[in-house]
Amino acid sequence: MELRTAIRQRRAVRDYTQEPVSAATLRELISAASWAPSAMNEQPWHFTVVTEAALLDEISSRSKEWMLKGVAAMPRPGHFRDLLADPDFHIFYHAPALIVLSVPGDGQWGAEDCALAAQNLMLAAVDQGLGTCWIGFAQGWLNTGEGHNVLGLPRQSRVVTPIIVGYPKTAPPPVARKAPLITWIGTMAAPPEPEPPPGASNGTLIHP
Ligand SMILES: Cc1cc2nc3c(=O)[nH]c(=O)nc-3n(C[C@H](O)[C@H](O)[C@H](O)COP(=O)(O)O)c2cc1C
């Protein structure tokens, strides 16, 4: 698949079949992730792969409870309170696999490094016919002592990027992009602005 196609086709997928993703395929995604640049080439990422449905259910429930305690400080608290209190809302959308990128916790650039690795992973997944979604909802509880324990991570770790992976059941709707704010400095004339992609809508601008 051409890179530009993969970039356009990658969407946050929130509807998965229960078909498992093989360990070999997950390992290929991790290889793609590990080709990302990293500050001082530290490659500080640690990949934890969870495919046990009962553990994914537990992390989902515990994360929802944890976030509900602080929901008043979230943007759109009413919306998130309803969502998090809904017993049918699963933060991983019942995806068959979760890959958590974490760092040892003492590096300055761990978040940047993991975000770059995660984007490689998500683009490589598109190439394999897989869907992914970064689940920020999981970051809070996974960064508690209990969260570290369930993943077997050392206490000083920092969970940066929980990414669900699975075969999409339905294609997500296109999500519009804002026109990028660009400042051109220099003598180069700005090129004409490209047309927005066909079919783009406002979609889900804030996760559900
Ligand atoms: C840091 C970060 C955290 C996110 N957390 C969640 C999340 O917890 N749940 C969710 O459904 N989507 C989450 N998303 C996905 C975004 O909502 C999604 O990328 C955005 O709406 C744009 O849609 P697209 O990825 O399909 O282009 C997150 C994305 C990022 C980058």
Side-chain angles (χ1 to χ4, degrees), residues 15-154:
D15 192 18
Y16 293 92
T17 71
Q18 281 314 295
E19 183 181 346
V21 184
S22 72
T25 302
L26 292 168
R27 183 64 183 82
E28 268 189 55
L29 302 186
I30 291 170
S31 292
S34 68
W35 279 99
S38 61
M40 295 171 290
N41 196 24
E42 291 230 329
Q43 305 174 44
W45 35 67
H46 172 179
F47 300 89
T48 305
V49 182
V50 185
T51 55
E52 193 186 310
L55 184 53
L56 293 172
D57 293 348
E58 183 189 341
I59 299 172
S60 174
S61 315
R62 303 292 296 272
S63 297
K64 285 165 67 183
E65 279 165 26
W66 189 89
M67 278 184 293
L68 268 173
K69 288 184 204 148
V71 78
M74 291 171 90
R76 298 172 66 200
H79 165 78
F80 282 110
R81 189 175 289 110
D82 290 349
L83 184 68
L84 295 168
D86 178 355
D88 291 333
F89 176 62
H90 194 284
I91 69 163
F92 301 130
Y93 308 102
H94 302 285
L98 169 71
I99 302 179
V100 178
L101 283 73
S102 62
V103 288
D106 48 1
Q108 186 185 353
W109 304 105
E112 289 83 350
D113 295 337
C114 284
L116 288 164
Q119 179 71 349
N120 267 16
L121 190 155
M122 292 191 283
L123 291 176
V126 175
D127 190 37
Q128 301 267 359
L130 287 160
T132 56
C133 187
W134 180 324
I135 303 296
F137 273 169
Q139 281 169 244
W141 184 73
L142 284 177
N143 271 311
T144 65
E146 286 179 307
H148 286 159
N149 282 347
V150 301
L151 296 182
L153 293 173

Side-chain angles (χ1 to χ4, degrees), residues 10-12 14 93 133-137 175 177 204 207-208:
R10 186 217 53 80
R11 294 264 68 78
R14 302 185 176 96
Y93 308 102
C133 187
W134 180 324
I135 303 296
F137 273 169
V175 176
R177 290 315 194 236
T204 310
H207 46 74

Side-chain angles (χ1 to χ4, degrees), residues 1-10 126:
M1 178 183 280
E2 269 202 46
L3 179 60
R4 68 175 68 191
T5 308
I7 289 171
R8 281 286 173 89
Q9 280 188 6
R10 186 217 53 80
V126 175

